[in-house]
Amino acid sequence: MERSPPQSPGPGKAGDAPNRRSGHVRGARVLSPPGRRARLSSPGPSRSSEAREELRRHLVGLIERSRVVIFSKSYCPHSTRVKELFSSLGVECNVLELDQVDDGARVQEVLSEITNQKTVPNIFVNKVHVGGCDQTFQAYQSGLLQKLLQEDLAYDYDLIIIGGGSGGLSCAKEAAILGKKVMVLDFVVPSPQGTSWGLGGTCVNVGCIPKKLMHQAALLGQALCDSRKFGWEYNQQVRHNWETMTKAIQNHISSLNWGYRLSLREKAVAYVNSYGEFVEHHKIKATNKKGQETYYTAAQFVIATGERPRYLGIQGDKEYCITSDDLFSLPYCPGKTLVVGASYVALECAGFLAGFGLDVTVMVRSILLRGFDQEMAEKVGSYMEQHGVKFLRKFIPVMVQQLEKGSPGKLKVLAKSTEGTETIEGVYNTVLLAIGRDSCTRKIGLEKIGVKINEKSGKIPVNDVEQTNVPYVYAVGDILEDKPELTPVAIQSGKLLAQRLFGASLEKIYHTLFWPLEWTVAGRENNTCYAKIICNKFDHDRVIGFHILGPNAGEVTQGFAAAMKCGLTKQLLDDTIGIHPTCGEVFTTLEITKSSGLDITQKGCCG
């Protein structure tokens, strides 16, 4: 006879009296039998970090060894309904009644750190955190719970990450350090102009790193002009060579790409240069550049696909315009350039192009730097105008035509006013679009497994622990809805996500060597700059010593000195999002203790 599952729970009665002998349900194994109070951690000071870490390891081990774990309270009606659901399905569960163990309150605290859920019941199925009562019934009604409960699940990997950018790589390496079998799928779909790149994501290949290096090149030109006033004398005409600069920058980026691949290999992370797409629950299709398809399964997934530049949707935009995807590896000098957009990407690119002596115009639809302080934004615009950048305000392009082919060629841009019927046209060598970015979430099969996205923006809503509405699928980076789109945020989020999923080890962290970004292209020595902090282990790892050997050491130290006076701890440093790319951010990512004797040499720049 088929069993009828219980209905989705309604609100429990407030003030129900605890019954310490309840909690035995058919098909369940209760870890704390009535009449005997169990202890999960060894006796000792309840606030000891070592005891807390031991409890955390015990809980993670219990979750990983069990098909179903229900953290419950014997008198909770919601917990009872969940236990009845699994009983009706004939599923044996490990049930831990937190009101019947001596350290139940501490167990609930540690569970809250792991899952960011403060209530019971708290349910795990085959290592996947399903959530509470409502989430469990929703998973049952959608069929996902039955999928998770399948007997003898044997996945190819513990974790598959789709996307090899900052967040994805950070999560992959941390999960591998914690002993998990991990795969990274990364594939760059070429831009309309045919540009693609290697492992590392936007920041490394077509974002922060090449942008700052080109900015540095422009600053060096300004420094040459300033140097005459400091006594430097030179007679020859100074000119900038675009090809020399881009070759040097791309050579450096290639070394970073190789460094990331090597780092994954050293940590036994499988790297596959293929396009990932979900085909069913827990299963993904990987298609390489030759069109060959391979299928992989995993217990859990992280989506870290990032964003790509947006196009205008007008005649000639994808045929003739470029974006930041193309600019940093452009094989020829762009010449007279129209930058469309007023974001920080648009203004940064316009600034360094003008610094090379190019004729640069910025076409602005409405205001500069939307979302930023407008007084500061206008001051930025005024400064750029004083240094040769022209602005066309309240205009948008409506058509781009090619007048001449070449490297660069000639393009005619027709634009119309946003405030009336006026139209203008201009001739440029290059049109650079910087009007925003779109999340890469619409063509990876999320609809096949039920992951919800914002239909307008393509971004993925997640909870406070980066979990999507499908319990075994997580997301990090720029694709998250209402989250900061910053590289250091993605790096930190990826690392912390892996620690939450697989249990972090207790580490003390002190020092590293680093290579300033400004030194890379110039070929200055790597692994000569050094950062070190000294922590008092008996005072919550309070930072009592701070050392840096590198550029702008005084400026960096001054800022951290104020933090030390305010009681800076190692945990606070770890929780701080670094400003990227800078030398100072190295103190937010320190991972090696001096006593461990581990290698601290770096294979890439610090910022």
Side-chain angles (χ1 to χ4, degrees), residues 221-289:
Q222 182 64 53
L224 281 172
C225 296
D226 293 345
S227 67
R228 293 183 185 274
K229 296 181 180 180
F230 287 87
W232 290 96
E233 298 178 358
Y234 51 88
N235 298 319
Q236 66 271 28
Q237 178 67 35
V238 177
R239 299 179 59 187
H240 181 261
N241 188 298
W242 177 273
E243 290 79 5
T244 300
M245 176 191 67
T246 52
K247 181 180 179 181
I249 290 174
Q250 290 304 311
N251 285 342
H252 173 62
I253 290 174
S254 294
S255 73
L256 296 180
N257 299 148
W258 172 249
Y260 290 128
R261 295 186 66 170
L262 184 62
S263 179
L264 293 181
R265 185 185 305 168
E266 289 172 345
K267 292 176 174 60
V269 175
Y271 163 59
V272 178
N273 183 208
S274 295
Y275 187 89
E277 180 183 358
F278 286 98
V279 291
E280 61 182 67
H281 281 297
H282 290 280
K283 189 173 185 179
I284 201 163
K285 177 176 70 176
T287 307
N288 66 17
K289 61 182 179 182

Side-chain angles (χ1 to χ4, degrees), residues 21 39 66 80 91 98 120 146 164 192 301 338 390 441 453:
R21 290 194 170 268
R39 176 179 293 279
S66 305
T80 300
V91 175
L98 299 184
V120 295
Q146 294 86 325
F301 290 82
L338 173 67
K390 297 184 286 290
T441 57
I453 66 171

Side-chain angles (χ1 to χ4, degrees), residues 391-405:
F391 285 86
L392 285 172
R393 293 179 181 255
K394 308 292 185 181
F395 279 93
I396 55 172
V398 293
M399 184 174 62
V400 180
Q401 292 180 319
Q402 186 180 60
L403 300 179
E404 294 179 13
K405 293 183 178 181

Side-chain angles (χ1 to χ4, degrees), residues 173-191:
K173 290 186 286 187
E174 188 70 14
I177 289 171
L178 295 170
K180 298 304 169 182
K181 187 179 181 183
V182 184
M183 169 181 279
V184 172
L185 287 169
D186 185 67
F187 185 86
V188 178
V189 177
S191 74

Side-chain angles (χ1 to χ4, degrees), residues 563-575:
M564 289 174 66
K565 294 289 286 184
C566 295
L568 178 68
T569 65
K570 182 62 179 65
Q571 187 61 53
L572 288 172
L573 279 176
D574 291 345
D575 293 342

